[in-house]
Amino acid sequence: MSITTAARNPYAGTLALTALTPIVWGSTYAVTTEFLPPDRPLFTALMRALPAGLVLLALTRTLPRGMWVGRAAALGVLNIGAFFPLLFLAAYRLPGGVAGVLGAVAPMFALVFATGVLNEKPTGRKVLAGVIGVFGVALVVLRATAQLDTIGVIAGLVGAASMALGTVLTKRWGRPAGVGPLAMTGWQLTAGGLFILPLAALIEGAPPAMDGRAVGGYLYLGVIGTAAAYWLWLRGIAKVPATSVAFLGLLSPVSAAVIGWVALGEALTGLQILGMVIALGGTLLGQTTARVRAAKISVPAESGPTAELGGAVPDDRGVAEVGQVAEVGAAKVDVAVELGAADQPVEVGTADQPGLAVEVGGETVGDVVTEDAEKDGRTTGDSRILVGAKS
């Protein structure tokens, strides 16, 4: 029996959901200036991370084990614990426009880190997208009177690099088996919050007095701006290339400018609108469009008539959506899947976190191997995933 699957490409939908994260992050400036106590950046960073992380830990009831204790701590520091304080330090020492431009350099850092960590060579298209994105953000947020501060510039660049490295390492390490993005979000927020806690106590002292507006602002930042936003961010990193996710960060200063215009009555010039268009162009140019080809699954006749792909049972034509798991009766199965375009193969899985597994009788079998597909004696650049029966 042979089943050919026609797969829908979820790439665009995943990117759209992930893009909500930087759009929500763009509201942080307005909420901070309008609702929160002034001059308390570390306390604000702490309130964004630690309460949300502890709530997610309680909801998921999943703690990191083994090597994941260190990995969760490292990702929590890079994505939260170091990034938040450096972000606020840059914002306090620099004009908002300069800080925004420094943050827009993060995709360029991601391209560099992905080269070493993921062996993902930067394409000319993505480098150009990074330059275009920084230029567009500069038009949106920079002012002629902007002045530079050495400590602020260093903080902004190190913060952007920290977030970029955290994004790339999140992609490289994946998640432990059976652990979802919500639990991973809780791990990172808790680790990052615990890193910030002593810094906030030593530098800023006792918490400030808070009224109802401040409580509401912190609740919004913690629940919407951090817990939900980071869940979508980590979910996106798991499904699409890390550099593509990093380029979505260019939407944050654009969102901040629009929110300032709509909610705070700030002026929005024609040059800023042009910058928004350019920044959006850089964001789109930085994305990788992956083409998903058909997958053919050959099943021995004695294994039975049913093959489930990602929980979807094929119809009478033998067509079903390609999913994460293929279950075929209780017999051995050989699966050959071709995914990806020449410029960017689709990542299906790694040895420690397979994206495609074959279950036979409830037991995962076979090895996942990625190799270049060759046609007429030349490498096409496509990614071929071979899953064979356990030897």
Side-chain angles (χ1 to χ4, degrees), residues 14 38 69 71 195 240 246 318 362 383:
T14 299
V69 174
R71 287 183 174 184
F195 180 84
V240 300
S383 178

Side-chain angles (χ1 to χ4, degrees), residues 304-390:
T306 302
E308 295 187 4
L309 300 174
V313 179
D315 58 21
D316 294 338
R317 295 174 293 119
V319 176
E321 181 180 354
V322 173
Q324 296 296 311
V325 180
E327 294 186 12
V328 184
K332 294 182 179 180
V333 56
D334 294 324
V335 181
V337 184
E338 292 188 16
L339 298 171
D343 59 341
Q344 184 63 52
V346 175
E347 293 189 21
V348 173
T350 59
D352 57 350
Q353 188 188 8
L356 176 67
V358 177
E359 291 191 2
V360 177
E363 180 184 6
T364 302
V365 301
D367 297 324
V368 180
V369 180
T370 304
E371 49 184 44
D372 290 327
E374 293 187 359
K375 186 175 182 180
D376 298 329
R378 63 183 181 87
T379 301
T380 65
D382 293 334
S383 178
R384 172 169 293 176
I385 311 301
L386 303 177
V387 183
K390 183 183 297 183

